[in-house]
Amino acid sequence: MTSDKAHNLWHQTCAEQIAAPVLSGDVTVDLVVIGGGYTGCSAALHAAQLGASVCLLEADEIGHGGSGRNVGLANAGLWLPPAEIRKHLGDGPGDRLVNLLSDAPRLVFDLIARHGIACEAVQNGTLHCAHSPSGLKDLQVRHTQLKTSGAPVMLLDADEAAARTGSAAFHGALFDPRAGTIQPLGYVRGLARAAMQAQALVHQHSPVLRLSHGAGMWQVETSAGSVRAKSLIQATNAYHRNLSSTAPEYVPVHYFQCATDPLPEELRATILPEGEGCWDTGLIMTSFRMDQMGRLIIGAMGDLDHLASSIHRAWVRRKLIELYPELQDVPLRQGWHGRIAMTSDHIPKITAIGPNAYAAHGYSGRGIGPGTVFGKGMAEALLSGNDISLPMPAIEAHHERMTGARQMFFETGATLTHLIKARF
């Protein structure tokens, strides 16, 4: 199993197709966006809808990075509970970020409905599942904090969690009805299509080679063209290429998924019968969900191009049977992975990388909702000249220490966990 298109389920089932040519020639626009993931496509769409001229440049294909490789859980909020976010940002900025990201699934599903995006959207909530008694205690703390913040979450006991998931493996679960699941590649391509319909210029296979600023304008050069723009958004996150002077600092963490064949109707009726997306409280997290055709998709931290990838592949089969013994004879077909940009405090960053220019990164595995919100907010702030539209204050720079060592720590931890856990 590798992470290329042939083994990525989302490429095989994506109903959204776009034709975005290579940039050729010179253009001048109000806003240039670098990166064709959720953040960049959301920025391009919202800027174009505000009447701005926009050019988006993607080095590969729209959704090539994490936006086309993730699990497809459109969650509310971040990994951190609200009190931790306020602790890091302060009450005012913390409250603003908590409130905006609490509402992120509504924005995502509204965009899907408004633009007719074909991405298997199901807004039936998500389940954060307690894998142990200590995991349940963590969910109890999160439940209290989320309820205090006004979130309509419910804490389920073990029996209720079993009924919702179809698995007896959990000690309870936290249900969030605001959230849901999507076909992630379909969603990002749909955003790009909608941006193009709003007259944004979208160019694939157009990696940026040089970036400079002078005389009040940004100059962005590719191999076959250039863009001049008053404002710039860099939305490359964990798939940054070429531009070392504005490269974001983060810890790269890999996450992989595998998918079964479509399950027979009798199994689909008992496994996640309401269609929630799930992840557990394990330090080396496991996620699982069903797609539109009844494939069970299960994933965890790990790199399928790593030398020890066979350990991850063997683990996912054992984990599948641990959760659902009735799937013992069901084959796992596709296997793919993506790269996450993680920050040390698990809070995303907006950096001011120059005059009228922002970059965002570090969603730490929560890219769908936050990326959509951050792209919209940065576009509105640049076009209005007022940073009140930013979801959080911009900073001059963000630095991470020992990123290589910490990347090795996460991959080694995932490998050792998968070597030991879920053995029979």
Side-chain angles (χ1 to χ4, degrees):
M1 293 188 292
T2 64
S3 57
D4 61 18
K5 292 181 185 179
H7 298 275
N8 186 330
L9 175 68
W10 306 134
H11 278 275
Q12 297 176 21
T13 63
C14 186
E16 288 280 352
Q17 303 294 328
I18 59 170
V22 173
L23 175 67
S24 178
D26 304 323
V27 298
T28 299
V29 293
D30 298 318
L31 173 67
V32 60
V33 180
I34 303 173
Y38 302 128
T39 305
C41 290
S42 175
L45 170 59
H46 287 97
Q49 288 179 328
L50 290 171
S53 56
V54 184
C55 181
L56 183 149
L57 301 173
E58 163 57 41
D60 201 282
E61 295 182 354
I62 297 298
H64 168 75
S67 298
R69 301 167 187 265
N70 67 84
V71 180
L73 303 186
N75 282 300
L78 298 172
W79 290 117
L80 294 180
E84 289 296 311
I85 296 173
R86 295 186 183 99
K87 177 181 176 182
H88 284 284
L89 296 180
D91 288 343
D95 283 340
R96 173 168 173 75
L97 186 61
V98 167
N99 292 334
L100 281 173
L101 297 188
S102 294
D103 205 37
R106 183 198 61 79
L107 175 61
V108 169
F109 287 101
D110 281 356
L111 288 170
I112 291 168
R114 188 180 314 140
H115 298 289
I117 298 175
C119 63
E120 303 181 16
V122 178
Q123 196 174 7
N124 285 355
T126 54
L127 295 165
H128 192 179
C129 301
H131 78 298
S132 66
S134 62
L136 181 59
K137 290 180 180 179
D138 176 63
L139 294 185
Q140 291 167 344
V141 172
R142 290 173 181 269
H143 176 257
T144 299
Q145 291 188 22
L146 288 166
K147 292 293 286 185
T148 301
S149 298
V153 294
M154 296 172 54
L155 189 64
L156 310 180
D157 64 22
D159 290 339
E160 292 169 320
R164 292 290 189 100
T165 62
S167 173
F170 302 110
H171 296 257
L174 187 61
F175 173 64
D176 190 338
R178 300 169 294 178
T181 63
I182 60 173
Q183 211 277 22
L185 182 59
Y187 174 58
V188 70
R189 283 184 178 173
L191 290 177
R193 171 181 57 78
M196 295 169 74
Q197 291 171 340
Q199 306 307 310
L201 304 174
V202 177
H203 296 284
Q204 301 180 125
H205 303 293
S206 301
V208 173
L209 303 179
R210 285 172 294 278
L211 178 64
S212 60
H213 186 271
M217 298 289 283
W218 286 95
Q219 180 82 13
V220 183
E221 299 178 44
T222 70
S223 60
S226 69
V227 182
R228 283 172 50 83
K230 177 183 177 182
S231 301
L232 179 144
I233 290 174
Q234 183 172 296
T236 51
N237 199 31
Y239 284 80
H240 191 82
R241 190 184 300 183
N242 294 335
L243 303 174
S244 58
S245 63
T246 57
E249 292 190 18
Y250 61 89
V251 179
V253 175
H254 290 87
Y255 200 90
F256 73 91
Q257 286 88 216
C258 297
T260 69
D261 285 342
L263 301 179
E265 288 296 330
E266 62 270 20
L267 291 178
R268 293 175 65 177
T270 60
I271 296 174
L272 297 171
E274 300 300 322
E276 300 97 338
C278 305
W279 75 101
D280 70 15
T281 54
L283 180 62
I284 304 299
M285 186 190 79
T286 302
S287 61
F288 55 103
R289 56 160 293 198
M290 203 81 76
D291 80 344
Q292 183 173 265
M293 295 302 295
R295 301 177 185 89
L296 187 70
I297 301 157
I298 181 169
M301 193 181 295
D303 183 351
L304 293 187
D305 286 340
H306 189 267
L307 290 175
S309 63
S310 61
I311 293 173
H312 299 317
R313 294 195 293 267
W315 168 86
V316 76
R317 161 55 60 185
R318 299 195 306 269
K319 186 66 177 181
L320 178 69
I321 299 170
E322 179 189 73
L323 293 176
Y324 298 108
E326 62 270 39
L327 301 186
Q328 182 166 355
D329 297 325
V330 174
L332 286 165
R333 301 293 187 189
Q334 298 86 358
W336 68 101
H337 72 262
R339 190 163 63 246
I340 294 168
M342 184 173 289
T343 59
S344 55
D345 58 9
H346 306 296
I347 293 178
K349 311 299 175 190
I350 296 176
T351 52
I353 57 174
N356 301 313
Y358 292 123
H361 80 284
Y363 302 121
S364 297
R366 282 286 181 98
I368 295 174
T372 305
V373 168
F374 275 51
K376 176 178 184 288
M378 289 190 295
E380 291 174 349
L382 288 170
L383 295 178
S384 68
N386 191 338
D387 63 5
I388 195 172
S389 297
L390 293 177
M392 62 186 298
I395 56 178
E396 291 302 314
H398 173 71
H399 300 290
E400 291 281 343
R401 298 179 60 189
M402 302 175 65
T403 56
R406 289 165 61 198
Q407 177 185 7
M408 185 178 297
F409 170 80
F410 283 117
E411 181 60 35
T412 301
T415 301
L416 291 175
T417 297
H418 292 165
L419 181 64
I420 297 168
K421 296 291 186 179
R423 290 193 174 275
F424 298 96

